[in-house]
Amino acid sequence: MSAALEVRGLTKAFGPVVANNAVNLTVRAGEVHALLGENGAGKSTLMKMLYGVQSPDSGEIRRDGTPVTVNSSAAARALGIGMVFQDLRLVPALTVWENVALHVGGGAVLRRKPLRKQITEAAQRYGLAVHPDARVADLSIGEWQRVELIKVLLGGARVLILDEPTSVLTPAEVDGLFTVLRQLRSEGVAIVLITHKMREVRAIADRVTVLRGGNPILEDVAADDISAGDLVTAMVGESVEVVSNPGAATSEVPLLELQAVRLAGATGGLRSTDLVVRKGEVLGIAGVAGNGQRELADLIAGAALPDAGEIILDGERIDGSGPAGHRAHGVVSVVGDALREFVVPGLTIAEHAALWAHAGGERGFDARKGGAALRAIDDDIGLAIADPNRRLDQLSGGNVQRVMLTLALGTPARVLVVSYPTRGLDVLTTETTRRLLMAAREAGTAVLVISEDLDELLQISDRIAVLAHGSVVRVVDAATADRTSLGALMTSHHDDHDADVAAATDAAA
Ligand SMILES: Nc1ncnc2c1ncn2[C@@H]1O[C@H](COP(=O)(O)OP(=O)(O)OP(=O)(O)O)[C@@H](O)[C@H]1O
Ligand SMILES: [Mg+2]
């Protein structure tokens, strides 16, 4: 039997960058095929060619054994190929059903009623809870992704491409997604999944293909036939040493203090909160996104003014001084969603470096200076960023994250606040980043790490504060904490929150 989708010798270059070099891929109906590789390996480029967003320089694509030309995403959809992009692509101002109509319509007039019914049916069948009349702008990122899935499935996809779907999901949402994927697999859908997480490969992949620097390294290997260690070596060319917090010598000196700060927010906000970050410690913030993380990060960065309470750095009150004021006091912060919040379309990496320096108090914008400084920092800290003269919006997702981290970690800081620091990073760069956070800790910086990855927090934190429903419910010693107890702290309150939301929804209906 021929494969649902086959790629033979696909090659694609962007100027001097060969993103795919004679790549092969075989995806069968009823299997989950994991596509793996370090940042910039060419994974997204390969998928974009399969979905008709980019055209190959040479090579062949076959669908059910027949050679096909996929020169537009409409052509891909007509061939039953659907894709959920790394950066989700819905129209926020429209409702769920309107977004689905745009996707499956193909120019035809679509009636609201039957389409709503179809959406509701698909939602029920696959356990993808979303309301057809909800406005997409009001949905969480996990809900956005469910809408994307419904959209693609109603579009008739039998080959489903998912580009790092889990990097923006909570652990519970990942489980939910995998349940859907297992069901689709049993219905004979061919699934390509891109991920950097070995745990996920183990959980769901039947077969794997690995790219490195655009070259095929492993092709169509059964997932059970290869160890996690061998996979990592195939991806990055070396074994990766896991970083952990040495544990000793945390000072007791409080450096940053939040005193009864409160901030209203889109998702419930932050309730009156007290929190202390000590000099030379990593304080992890655990919790399901949307429970006050955003407000906490914005307050510390000076991007939002507290509705009440005070922020004190080394005995001095700093709230009210704005982002530039906080930065001048040595508070450096990194946003959680680089693609959406950091990238300025059209600008080079060097120009982003100049923007960053400007935000740090430098007069004017000097891209040449910014680029040179960035190169020097990169040599020092080793996240291996791309040429500063390249456009940031043309880098791969993980390489954008590396640029943002290099700017932040290369800036002397008394307080460092990082949200989801390893999002989108490959396995090697993830550990390098954690090592850099440990180095900042050693240097006496007060480091605050917001993450949903409990393993990550347990690995690098001294203490972990659990955030739920807009409040810090407990601060625990990381050395004695474990996944189960943290998970329980996170979810007991979250269930209450869900009940609140359900009650509100019922009341509105
Ligand atoms: N539109 C483009 N213009 C120029 N270069 C591009 C473009 N798209 C991708 N590239 C380059 O092609 C290479 C492969 O990028 P790609 O996005 O496929 O990597 P990836 O494997 O998906 O990485 P990541 O894990 O970081 O998402 C990178 O060097 C990237 O900068
Ligand atoms: Mg990618």
Side-chain angles (χ1 to χ4, degrees), residues 157-199:
R158 299 297 294 166
V159 176
L160 179 60
I161 297 168
L162 300 158
D163 193 351
E164 291 190 43
T166 61
S167 64
V168 292
L169 296 185
T170 67
E173 285 171 335
V174 172
D175 292 344
L177 173 68
F178 282 7
T179 305
V180 178
L181 296 187
R182 288 193 188 97
Q183 188 178 342
L184 290 169
R185 169 168 67 185
S186 73
E187 292 172 5
V189 175
I191 299 165
V192 185
L193 174 72
I194 299 180
T195 178
H196 290 293
K197 305 224 168 103
M198 287 310 106
R199 183 207 288 262

Side-chain angles (χ1 to χ4, degrees), residues 14 17 19 39-45 86 164 196 390 394 396-398:
F14 298 101
V17 179
N39 297 132
K43 304 178 296 294
S44 294
T45 302
Q86 203 165 354
E164 291 190 43
H196 290 293
R390 289 188 60 185
Q394 290 183 346
S396 74

Side-chain angles (χ1 to χ4, degrees), residues 90-263:
L90 298 172
V91 186
L94 298 181
T95 62
V96 169
W97 85 265
E98 287 165 336
N99 269 280
V100 174
L102 274 179
H103 182 80
V104 300
V109 179
L110 283 161
R111 305 252 307 282
R112 175 165 174 265
K113 228 175 158 183
L115 197 57
R116 283 179 86 244
K117 188 157 169 273
Q118 272 186 297
I119 293 171
T120 311
E121 278 166 7
Q124 260 160 15
R125 178 161 165 211
Y126 295 108
L128 293 163
V130 285
H131 198 286
D133 294 326
R135 210 169 61 108
V136 165
D138 299 332
L139 303 179
S140 73
I141 200 93
E143 289 167 320
W144 271 60
Q145 202 178 63
R146 281 180 237 155
V147 178
E148 289 269 13
L149 267 174
I150 290 179
K151 183 180 105 176
V152 168
L153 293 173
L154 288 185
R158 299 297 294 166
V159 176
L160 179 60
I161 297 168
L162 300 158
D163 193 351
E164 291 190 43
T166 61
S167 64
V168 292
L169 296 185
T170 67
E173 285 171 335
V174 172
D175 292 344
L177 173 68
F178 282 7
T179 305
V180 178
L181 296 187
R182 288 193 188 97
Q183 188 178 342
L184 290 169
R185 169 168 67 185
S186 73
E187 292 172 5
V189 175
I191 299 165
V192 185
L193 174 72
I194 299 180
T195 178
H196 290 293
K197 305 224 168 103
M198 287 310 106
R199 183 207 288 262
E200 295 173 2
V201 176
R202 282 284 160 253
I204 198 155
D206 302 300
R207 306 189 72 84
V208 294
T209 287
V210 177
L211 301 180
R212 196 197 311 153
N215 296 299
I217 300 294
L218 285 179
E219 282 178 12
D220 197 20
V221 177
D224 289 341
D225 290 350
I226 185 161
S227 70
D230 285 348
L231 265 185
V232 169
T233 308
M235 283 190 280
V236 301
E238 56 189 281
S239 63
V240 172
E241 207 179 311
V242 172
V243 173
S244 59
N245 188 316
T250 305
S251 88
E252 296 284 324
V253 183
L255 189 61
L256 182 75
E257 293 175 75
L258 306 189
Q259 294 182 351
V261 290
R262 189 154 51 78
L263 180 64

